Amino acid sequence: MIDNKKVLFSGMQATGNLTLGNYLGALKNWVSLSDEYECFYSVVDMHSITVRQDPATLRKRARALLTLYIAAGLDPEKNCIYYQSHVSCHAELAWILNCFTYMGELNRMTQFKDKAAKHADNINAGLFTYPVLMAADILLYQADVVPVGIDQMQHLEITRDIAQRFNGIYGDVFTIPEAYIGKTGAKIMSLQDPAKKMSKSDENVNASIYLMDDPDAIRRKCKRAVTDSVGEVRYSDEQPGVKNLISIYCACLGKTPEEVEREFAGRGYGELKEAVGEAVVSVLEPLQKRVAELEKDKSYIDGIIKNNAEKANYYAQKTLRKVQRKIGFPDRIR
Ligand code: TYM
């Protein structure tokens, strides 16, 4: 708790081009929860280097992501929006938690298996211990709630396991966090293969809508989305392509699947795709305009980066010092 408010933590990687999945599965919920909680939103640039990055591009993307958080509606005066790499406590706590995490647990992580298969020439130790750094992110701020898409659930579970293990040995040190999964949009699928999640690293550019896609590209990608030969607009597992389009429509406009089924009763897929395209444009176009405006104000963004790094450091250090004391590191001499 901070000032009688529960704490929320979440983060996104500054890697690749963000997709509509990142927005609908995470960022959009962050905004709707931000009044209720004391919030920490991190640009997790330390996680990004588990895959090789070009330095200039990483720096640029990290800044663009931080700007996007603000453009999406997170007030940086109220929410702590900061770069993970500006708070060294993340790395220090991750080291400690590494010593409380088992190889067997990490071996079961599906994201590790997927990424190791994708980057077979660079299966580094950081990729393997990635979930431990994520646990450190969350536990440093004593977060009660962590809004994420479904793909991050396994990482949330290991975070809880590590925290419970640590508390079991040393007493109540960490708050045990809960995942927050949105009702709609928690798993947006590829437009070209609705069995796969929409991902920034998909090689087929038509599979993903990128947050910075222009309106024509968005409409075109929706029009080309894979559907089926049933011919009915139904929210059903047997029609995964149509189900995904309905999910996107719902998450963009705040509708329920039942409402959408009624709206499109007796109408064809062409009309659905067109409506989905317009719904996505109505969400992304204003977002892109706000990003462009904010990018012009360099000193405003710089101020936020500085102030929020200080705030994050303050809270992170409180937890880290407590952990260090509990495990028996010598006291600092002042
Ligand atoms: P990342 O950067 O891959 O994704 C950021 C957020 O977007 C969600 N997401 C999706 N949601 C719905 N449909 C999709 N197709 C989709 N694709 C991505 C993700 O679930 C995530 O919420 N490991 C994290 C970053 C991280 C983190 C943390 C998150 C590091 N430390 C601490 C929460 C708390 C990741 O790689 O997310």
Side-chain angles (χ1 to χ4, degrees):
M1 295 281 248
I2 297 178
D3 297 338
N4 278 330
K5 270 186 165 177
K6 286 193 170 183
V7 177
L8 179 156
F9 183 94
S10 204
M12 261 189 216
Q13 289 202 63
T15 328
N17 288 322
L18 291 198
T19 72
L20 185 65
N22 296 123
Y23 182 74
L24 297 179
L27 194 49
K28 190 165 177 282
N29 296 327
W30 297 4
V31 177
S32 66
L33 294 168
S34 63
D35 282 340
E36 217 178 307
Y37 294 90
E38 183 71 34
C39 302
F40 294 84
Y41 295 111
S42 188
V43 170
V44 294
D45 46 0
M46 287 161 66
H47 279 102
S48 297
I49 63 162
T50 52
V51 172
R52 206 65 78 221
Q53 302 292 332
D54 168 60
T57 310
L58 177 60
R59 200 171 288 122
K60 209 168 108 202
R61 286 204 165 130
R63 183 149 179 133
L65 183 54
L66 189 128
T67 309
L68 181 76
Y69 287 3
I70 303 167
L74 295 172
D75 179 349
E77 306 290 334
K78 292 195 196 132
N79 302 284
C80 188
I81 296 174
Y82 73 100
Y83 295 127
Q84 185 187 32
S85 63
H86 284 191
V87 183
S88 56
C89 302
H90 287 255
E92 291 178 75
L93 183 62
W95 170 254
I96 294 171
L97 297 181
N98 266 322
C99 303
F100 293 85
T101 309
Y102 297 115
M103 301 283 285
E105 287 177 304
L106 294 173
N107 254 325
R108 285 198 293 275
M109 296 291 118
T110 53
Q111 187 168 306
F112 170 68
K113 289 184 209 164
D114 292 350
K115 287 205 174 168
K118 221 177 235 171
H119 304 278
D121 55 338
N122 181 21
I123 306 176
N124 58 70
L127 198 60
F128 189 62
T129 59
Y130 177 113
V132 185
L133 179 57
M134 180 157 160
D137 299 341
I138 296 166
L139 301 178
L140 261 184
Y141 300 93
Q142 306 287 3
D144 296 278
V145 66
V146 183
V148 283
I150 286 172
D151 64 325
Q152 294 300 315
M153 263 322 267
Q154 207 184 21
H155 289 161
L156 247 292
E157 275 154 22
I158 195 175
T159 300
R160 290 166 57 88
D161 290 344
I162 296 169
Q164 272 156 351
R165 183 171 305 138
F166 195 95
N167 285 357
I169 304 170
Y170 299 104
D172 264 352
V173 177
F174 294 125
T175 302
I176 309 298
E178 302 273 350
Y180 175 96
I181 306 279
K183 280 195 195 71
T184 50
K187 193 166 187 192
I188 301 296
M189 310 308 280
S190 152
L191 296 179
Q192 291 298 312
D193 177 1
K196 286 196 317 197
K197 78 163 185 177
M198 185 179 283
S199 155
K200 354 181 198 202
S201 55
D202 205 308
E203 275 151 27
N204 183 346
V205 289
N206 288 321
S208 308
I209 294 175
Y210 300 111
L211 295 189
M212 293 301 144
D213 273 348
D214 62 51
D216 284 347
I218 295 169
R219 292 186 182 107
R220 195 176 59 243
K221 288 179 183 183
C222 288
K223 219 170 259 173
R224 289 194 187 155
V226 167
T227 49
D228 53 58
S229 55
V230 178
E232 246 180 274
V233 177
R234 276 199 357 242
Y235 190 74
S236 143
D237 288 338
E238 276 132 50
Q239 295 176 245
V242 172
K243 185 179 177 191
N244 189 38
L245 288 172
I246 296 177
S247 296
I248 293 173
Y249 193 63
C250 286
C252 287
L253 301 183
K255 298 191 176 194
T256 65
E258 298 74 42
E259 284 170 343
V260 181
E261 282 180 345
R262 276 199 298 276
E263 185 179 338
F264 288 92
R267 296 164 69 189
Y269 293 163
E271 284 183 71
L272 174 68
K273 290 177 179 181
E274 208 166 295
V276 173
E278 293 313 319
V280 176
V281 169
S282 77
V283 171
L284 295 191
E285 207 175 24
L287 184 67
Q288 294 168 359
K289 284 196 181 130
R290 280 198 297 277
V291 168
E293 271 165 34
L294 280 167
E295 274 172 348
K296 284 187 218 145
D297 203 344
K298 184 172 179 304
S299 61
Y300 171 69
I301 302 283
D302 284 349
I304 285 161
I305 292 171
K306 183 168 178 290
N307 294 341
N308 281 331
E310 280 167 16
K311 180 173 170 186
N313 263 297
Y314 171 79
Y315 288 106
Q317 277 190 23
K318 268 187 42 169
T319 304
L320 183 66
R321 297 290 172 253
K322 188 168 169 191
V323 170
Q324 289 171 328
R325 221 169 27 245
K326 289 279 183 184
I327 56 177
F329 288 174
D331 287 335
R332 278 152 209 260
I333 312 287
R334 291 182 190 279

